[in-house]
Amino acid sequence: MNTATRRAYGAGVKFYDALSGEPVYRIGRVTGVRMLRLRAGDTVLDLGCGTGLNFALLTAAVGPTGRLIGLDRSGAMLDIARRRIERRGWSNVSLVHADATDFSWTDLEVPQVDAVISTYAMSVFNDPHAAWANVRAVLRPGGRACIVDMQVPTGAATVLAPVARLTCAAGGSDIDAHPWTLLEADAHDVRRRSLRGGHIQVVAGTIG
Ligand SMILES: C[S@@+](CC[C@H](N)C(=O)[O-])C[C@H]1O[C@@H](n2cnc3c(N)ncnc32)[C@H](O)[C@@H]1O
């Protein structure tokens, strides 16, 4: 994450939810959580959770007996996520202030998780490979993962490529990172959805 991006997820966070383009990007969250095939009682990690825009979908999917752990390296983003948790009264959601490229199960305070989701975050990480290695290390054998991220639009939507590039650059995201390929290389039942003219890629699968 470069200095400008660090700033974007520091001082500017109070505007994150308003500027995150939910009319365009929410469909990726909804599709990703559905494709993760969570079960009641599952423990799920939201990697680079930001302000917790996925939390309502994830807590509904794992139910009151499940557990959600949100991890992010921005304390300012986590402050907003914490307020969301308090407001909604979720007692089964915890937050971890850590770097996705440098964490382990001791940070999560659970030996393993059943599922991991990362939405619009891995393309922001400075080292998605290191983050994915950590995901593999905390995911139980047979656990599920889902990566939702962005690329340059395809087909007829290619005309929107400059807008997509600008939007991603403003959020510190590398539009050419294609982090879902890490999951595709390791999962044995890869499922894919392409949304918004190919701009949003949702890839899920079972690992190990
Ligand atoms: C575009 S936001 C996405 C947030 C959230 N996943 C969402 O869908 O709204 C990217 C997030 O990644 C976090 N981030 C960037 N680099 C990180 C890293 N190395 N470790 C953990 N979080 C990181 C930022 O702090 C920010 O909250």
Side-chain angles (χ1 to χ4, degrees), residues 42-182:
D42 274 351
T43 294
V44 58
L45 169 65
D46 186 348
L47 194 70
C49 67
T51 63
L53 287 173
N54 295 328
F55 287 4
L57 295 165
L58 292 169
T59 52
V62 300
T65 58
R67 183 168 172 195
L68 164 59
I69 303 167
L71 180 149
D72 203 283
R73 72 183 252 170
S74 162
M77 294 292 262
L78 290 177
D79 284 346
I80 296 179
R82 192 168 296 108
R83 286 203 285 279
R84 190 188 301 277
I85 294 165
E86 284 164 6
R87 216 169 43 241
R88 300 293 293 263
W90 290 317
S91 55
N92 56 345
V93 184
S94 52
L95 298 175
V96 175
H97 190 188
D99 192 317
T101 67
D102 181 25
F103 77 98
S104 71
W105 63 272
T106 51
D107 297 293
L108 305 185
E109 295 179 353
V110 291
Q112 287 180 322
V113 299
D114 300 298
V116 177
I117 189 165
S118 189
T119 63
Y120 312 116
M122 286 190 73
S123 60
V124 180
F125 297 169
N126 48 324
D127 187 352
H129 286 84
W132 181 248
N134 292 334
V135 165
R136 298 275 332 241
V138 299
L139 199 54
R140 71 163 167 80
R144 283 146 286 127
C146 179
I147 296 177
V148 180
D149 226 304
M150 299 159 287
Q151 67 173 9
V152 174
T154 53
T158 306
V159 290
L160 295 170
V163 182
R165 283 197 177 278
L166 208 63
T167 307
C168 286
S173 164
D174 175 1
I175 198 169
D176 299 312
H178 298 182
W180 54 86
T181 56
L182 295 163

Side-chain angles (χ1 to χ4, degrees), residues 24-25 149-153 164 168 175 195-201:
V24 174
Y25 293 107
D149 226 304
M150 299 159 287
Q151 67 173 9
V152 174
C168 286
I175 198 169
L195 305 165
R196 302 286 190 225
H199 177 46
I200 300 173
Q201 295 295 300

